[in-house]
mmCIF file of all heavy atoms in Angstrom:
data_model
loop_
_atom_site.group_PDB
_atom_site.id
_atom_site.type_symbol
_atom_site.label_atom_id
_atom_site.label_comp_id
_atom_site.label_asym_id
_atom_site.label_seq_id
_atom_site.Cartn_x
_atom_site.Cartn_y
_atom_site.Cartn_z
ATOM 1 N N GLU A 44 190.328 151.203 166.936
ATOM 2 C CA GLU A 44 189.672 151.983 168.019
ATOM 3 C C GLU A 44 189.379 153.363 167.497
ATOM 4 O O GLU A 44 190.247 154.058 166.909
ATOM 5 C CB GLU A 44 190.639 152.051 169.201
ATOM 6 C CG GLU A 44 190.016 152.715 170.405
ATOM 7 C CD GLU A 44 190.913 152.654 171.611
ATOM 8 O OE1 GLU A 44 191.803 151.801 171.698
ATOM 9 O OE2 GLU A 44 190.698 153.494 172.494
ATOM 10 N N TYR A 45 188.149 153.803 167.672
ATOM 11 C CA TYR A 45 187.687 155.095 167.186
ATOM 12 C C TYR A 45 186.805 155.671 168.260
ATOM 13 O O TYR A 45 185.654 155.210 168.433
ATOM 14 C CB TYR A 45 186.962 154.945 165.849
ATOM 15 C CG TYR A 45 186.634 156.258 165.178
ATOM 16 C CD1 TYR A 45 187.583 156.944 164.461
ATOM 17 C CD2 TYR A 45 185.358 156.788 165.288
ATOM 18 C CE1 TYR A 45 187.299 158.147 163.838
ATOM 19 C CE2 TYR A 45 185.047 157.982 164.656
ATOM 20 C CZ TYR A 45 185.996 158.652 163.934
ATOM 21 O OH TYR A 45 185.695 159.838 163.316
ATOM 22 N N PRO A 46 187.283 156.642 169.029
ATOM 23 C CA PRO A 46 186.540 157.108 170.210
ATOM 24 C C PRO A 46 185.106 157.592 169.915
ATOM 25 O O PRO A 46 184.220 157.410 170.736
ATOM 26 C CB PRO A 46 187.392 158.313 170.678
ATOM 27 C CG PRO A 46 188.728 158.046 170.161
ATOM 28 C CD PRO A 46 188.561 157.297 168.885
ATOM 29 N N ALA A 47 184.867 158.126 168.742
ATOM 30 C CA ALA A 47 183.521 158.652 168.430
ATOM 31 C C ALA A 47 182.721 157.680 167.542
ATOM 32 O O ALA A 47 181.832 158.099 166.816
ATOM 33 C CB ALA A 47 183.667 160.010 167.736
ATOM 34 N N PHE A 48 183.042 156.364 167.616
ATOM 35 C CA PHE A 48 182.393 155.418 166.734
ATOM 36 C C PHE A 48 180.868 155.452 166.884
ATOM 37 O O PHE A 48 180.156 155.385 165.888
ATOM 38 C CB PHE A 48 182.897 153.988 167.035
ATOM 39 C CG PHE A 48 182.496 152.979 166.030
ATOM 40 C CD1 PHE A 48 183.205 152.862 164.830
ATOM 41 C CD2 PHE A 48 181.423 152.165 166.236
ATOM 42 C CE1 PHE A 48 182.834 151.934 163.880
ATOM 43 C CE2 PHE A 48 181.033 151.203 165.278
ATOM 44 C CZ PHE A 48 181.728 151.110 164.102
ATOM 45 N N SER A 49 180.377 155.616 168.083
ATOM 46 C CA SER A 49 178.919 155.623 168.288
ATOM 47 C C SER A 49 178.253 156.874 167.724
ATOM 48 O O SER A 49 177.056 156.927 167.586
ATOM 49 C CB SER A 49 178.592 155.455 169.777
ATOM 50 O OG SER A 49 179.090 156.596 170.479
ATOM 51 N N GLU A 50 179.045 157.856 167.378
ATOM 52 C CA GLU A 50 178.514 159.127 166.822
ATOM 53 C C GLU A 50 178.529 159.168 165.294
ATOM 54 O O GLU A 50 178.098 160.146 164.736
ATOM 55 C CB GLU A 50 179.296 160.302 167.407
ATOM 56 C CG GLU A 50 179.190 160.404 168.907
ATOM 57 C CD GLU A 50 180.140 161.423 169.500
ATOM 58 O OE1 GLU A 50 180.693 162.273 168.764
ATOM 59 O OE2 GLU A 50 180.315 161.360 170.743
ATOM 60 N N ILE A 51 179.030 158.119 164.671
ATOM 61 C CA ILE A 51 179.057 158.089 163.206
ATOM 62 C C ILE A 51 177.616 157.880 162.715
ATOM 63 O O ILE A 51 176.968 156.895 163.094
ATOM 64 C CB ILE A 51 179.957 156.934 162.691
ATOM 65 C CG1 ILE A 51 181.380 157.144 163.164
ATOM 66 C CG2 ILE A 51 179.889 156.834 161.157
ATOM 67 C CD1 ILE A 51 182.269 155.944 162.923
ATOM 68 N N PRO A 52 177.122 158.782 161.867
ATOM 69 C CA PRO A 52 175.789 158.589 161.308
ATOM 70 C C PRO A 52 175.679 157.277 160.518
ATOM 71 O O PRO A 52 176.633 156.872 159.846
ATOM 72 C CB PRO A 52 175.591 159.809 160.392
ATOM 73 C CG PRO A 52 176.602 160.804 160.861
ATOM 74 C CD PRO A 52 177.753 159.995 161.388
ATOM 75 N N GLU A 53 174.543 156.662 160.602
ATOM 76 C CA GLU A 53 174.340 155.356 159.920
ATOM 77 C C GLU A 53 174.630 155.452 158.443
ATOM 78 O O GLU A 53 175.223 154.529 157.875
ATOM 79 C CB GLU A 53 172.899 154.853 160.146
ATOM 80 C CG GLU A 53 172.691 153.491 159.584
ATOM 81 C CD GLU A 53 171.296 152.939 159.925
ATOM 82 O OE1 GLU A 53 170.682 153.373 160.890
ATOM 83 O OE2 GLU A 53 170.839 152.043 159.163
ATOM 84 N N LYS A 54 174.253 156.524 157.810
ATOM 85 C CA LYS A 54 174.467 156.678 156.355
ATOM 86 C C LYS A 54 175.963 156.725 156.045
ATOM 87 O O LYS A 54 176.392 156.128 155.056
ATOM 88 C CB LYS A 54 173.775 157.945 155.832
ATOM 89 C CG LYS A 54 173.817 158.082 154.334
ATOM 90 C CD LYS A 54 173.060 156.971 153.677
ATOM 91 C CE LYS A 54 173.075 157.164 152.152
ATOM 92 N NZ LYS A 54 172.601 156.000 151.457
ATOM 93 N N GLU A 55 176.767 157.400 156.876
ATOM 94 C CA GLU A 55 178.206 157.413 156.667
ATOM 95 C C GLU A 55 178.792 156.016 156.790
ATOM 96 O O GLU A 55 179.635 155.602 156.002
ATOM 97 C CB GLU A 55 178.901 158.331 157.705
ATOM 98 C CG GLU A 55 178.940 159.753 157.319
ATOM 99 C CD GLU A 55 179.831 160.574 158.262
ATOM 100 O OE1 GLU A 55 180.820 160.017 158.819
ATOM 101 O OE2 GLU A 55 179.510 161.767 158.430
ATOM 102 N N PHE A 56 178.361 155.310 157.840
ATOM 103 C CA PHE A 56 178.826 153.933 158.051
ATOM 104 C C PHE A 56 178.490 153.069 156.843
ATOM 105 O O PHE A 56 179.354 152.335 156.330
ATOM 106 C CB PHE A 56 178.172 153.384 159.314
ATOM 107 C CG PHE A 56 178.709 152.026 159.730
ATOM 108 C CD1 PHE A 56 179.913 151.891 160.327
ATOM 109 C CD2 PHE A 56 177.942 150.889 159.493
ATOM 110 C CE1 PHE A 56 180.414 150.649 160.701
ATOM 111 C CE2 PHE A 56 178.411 149.652 159.836
ATOM 112 C CZ PHE A 56 179.651 149.513 160.464
ATOM 113 N N GLN A 57 177.274 153.163 156.353
ATOM 114 C CA GLN A 57 176.857 152.406 155.173
ATOM 115 C C GLN A 57 177.666 152.747 153.953
ATOM 116 O O GLN A 57 178.063 151.881 153.179
ATOM 117 C CB GLN A 57 175.358 152.629 154.898
ATOM 118 C CG GLN A 57 174.451 151.962 155.894
ATOM 119 C CD GLN A 57 172.984 152.241 155.580
ATOM 120 O OE1 GLN A 57 172.659 152.912 154.607
ATOM 121 N NE2 GLN A 57 172.117 151.769 156.458
#
Side-chain angles (χ1 to χ4, degrees):
E44 185 173 339
Y45 188 80
F48 192 81
S49 63
E50 298 171 15
I51 298 169
E53 185 175 337
K54 187 63 178 169
E55 274 189 31
F56 186 76
Q57 288 178 2

